[in-house]
Amino acid sequence: MATPAAAGPGAALPPGAARRDFYWLRSFIAGGIAGCCAKTTIAPLDRVKILLQAHNHHYKHLGVFSTLRAVPKKEGYLGLYKGNGAMMIRIFPYGAIQFMAFDQYKKVIKKQLGISGHIHQLMAGSMAGITAVICTYPLDMVRVRLAFQVKGEHKYMGIIHAFKMIYTKEGGFPGFYRGLTPTVVGMAPYAGFSFFTFGTLKSIGLAQAPNLLGRPSLDNPDVLVLKTHVNLLCGGIAGAIAQTISTMVQTLKYVYQQHGIRRGLYRGLSLNYIRCIPSQAVAFTTYELMKQFLHLN
């Protein structure tokens, strides 16, 4: 019997090997782009949220839509995107780590713990959210500091200057992780239920109405994916449900004690609903599309 020839430099790769090459890198890029698209969509709402929740004296007497109108008048339309540069630097690795970690955690939970079904999506989503928060928290702190500044009252001259100031004035490296615990407490259920809800809706939709809601994937016709508008709808529902379920007890208690229900909790939570629905809709839809373009299905 003939012995198979050794694979040389020009030998053809086994079926599927090309698709497996750099899978983690392609997954990383897909998640990063999804995160950037989602956050850019809601950047003006993020700026308003920071100004209102921190009770910036220029805007604290205004509501959400009044602030959206007032910021361009005082700071120009680019004022609505202040801090968005730092956000993009933070959100690309955040989205990349979250989506890539979610895929890896799902495999580990299923293989090592023997847990499958939708519950492993809930667990993997929570773990992915925590991982992404811890890895990118310093960048988020800098973004918030920059976004809180108002024209003419700048304490930080840019991203690098903000990093230097926080490191020098606030205790070095630990200063970048102030407030991490309540953020993690809030992110774990939010990310978990967001991935869980989207995955559940996707599975049910493709199982119950494949012709109405689904179509063949661009990179693999054997795989059925949701149509774009259905992805947006499922992502929006996932964001709304996740926001409803996730509650940061410590932060809510603090805001309640400082500002009361009407001036503190109401403003923050109502704006969170306005933000999370388009954010999650765009994030999941973009990621599903990038998976097809980068041959991840």
Side-chain angles (χ1 to χ4, degrees), residues 11-78:
L13 290 171
R19 289 184 178 180
R20 291 194 297 271
D21 285 348
F22 302 109
Y23 181 92
W24 67 269
L25 179 59
R26 287 180 281 128
S27 178
F28 187 88
I29 292 172
I33 292 175
C36 288
C37 290
K39 284 299 181 181
T40 299
T41 301
I42 63 165
L45 292 173
D46 270 334
R47 176 85 202 284
V48 168
K49 177 193 175 186
I50 291 170
L51 292 172
L52 293 183
Q53 286 196 321
H55 288 264
N56 183 285
H57 65 277
H58 291 283
Y59 305 106
K60 64 181 181 181
H61 60 288
L62 301 175
V64 174
F65 296 107
S66 298
T67 304
L68 280 171
R69 291 192 296 267
V71 170
K73 292 179 181 178
K74 182 174 179 58
E75 306 177 48
Y77 281 100
L78 290 180

Side-chain angles (χ1 to χ4, degrees), residues 5-247:
L13 290 171
R19 289 184 178 180
R20 291 194 297 271
D21 285 348
F22 302 109
Y23 181 92
W24 67 269
L25 179 59
R26 287 180 281 128
S27 178
F28 187 88
I29 292 172
I33 292 175
C36 288
C37 290
K39 284 299 181 181
T40 299
T41 301
I42 63 165
L45 292 173
D46 270 334
R47 176 85 202 284
V48 168
K49 177 193 175 186
I50 291 170
L51 292 172
L52 293 183
Q53 286 196 321
H55 288 264
N56 183 285
H57 65 277
H58 291 283
Y59 305 106
K60 64 181 181 181
H61 60 288
L62 301 175
V64 174
F65 296 107
S66 298
T67 304
L68 280 171
R69 291 192 296 267
V71 170
K73 292 179 181 178
K74 182 174 179 58
E75 306 177 48
Y77 281 100
L78 290 180
L80 291 171
Y81 289 86
K82 185 172 288 184
N84 198 52
M87 169 62 88
M88 292 300 100
I89 294 174
R90 175 249 178 185
I91 204 61
F92 185 90
Y94 178 90
I97 291 170
Q98 185 180 43
F99 279 103
M100 185 176 70
F102 173 70
D103 287 337
Q104 296 305 312
Y105 283 138
K106 273 200 311 181
K107 296 174 184 177
V108 170
I109 291 171
K110 188 173 182 178
K111 184 176 180 180
Q112 301 297 329
L113 302 181
I115 300 174
S116 59
H118 296 303
I119 190 65
H120 82 302
Q121 295 192 52
L122 178 63
M123 295 172 65
S126 296
M127 294 165 67
I130 292 172
T131 302
V133 165
I134 292 173
C135 290
T136 62
Y137 194 78
L139 289 168
D140 196 41
M141 173 172 279
V142 169
R143 175 192 68 85
V144 171
R145 296 290 181 90
L146 294 175
F148 181 68
Q149 295 185 134
V150 176
K151 188 176 182 180
E153 300 177 5
H154 285 189
K155 179 180 179 182
Y156 308 107
M157 298 300 106
I159 297 172
I160 296 177
H161 184 246
F163 268 108
K164 289 181 179 178
M165 289 288 287
I166 294 173
Y167 184 84
T168 304
K169 304 288 186 181
E170 301 183 32
F173 189 73
F176 290 107
Y177 282 90
R178 288 183 179 177
L180 175 64
T181 300
T183 302
V184 167
V185 169
M187 178 51 65
Y190 181 81
F193 279 101
S194 186
F195 278 105
F196 168 78
T197 305
F198 181 81
T200 301
L201 291 174
K202 179 180 178 181
S203 297
I204 294 174
L206 292 178
Q208 299 299 320
N211 294 328
L212 178 64
L213 304 179
R215 62 172 176 78
S217 173
L218 296 176
D219 63 322
N220 187 353
D222 294 330
V223 174
L224 203 61
V225 298
L226 292 175
K227 295 177 180 177
T228 301
H229 67 282
V230 181
N231 261 322
L232 286 167
L233 178 61
C234 291
I237 294 173
I241 292 176
Q243 184 61 52
T244 301
I245 294 173
S246 66
T247 303

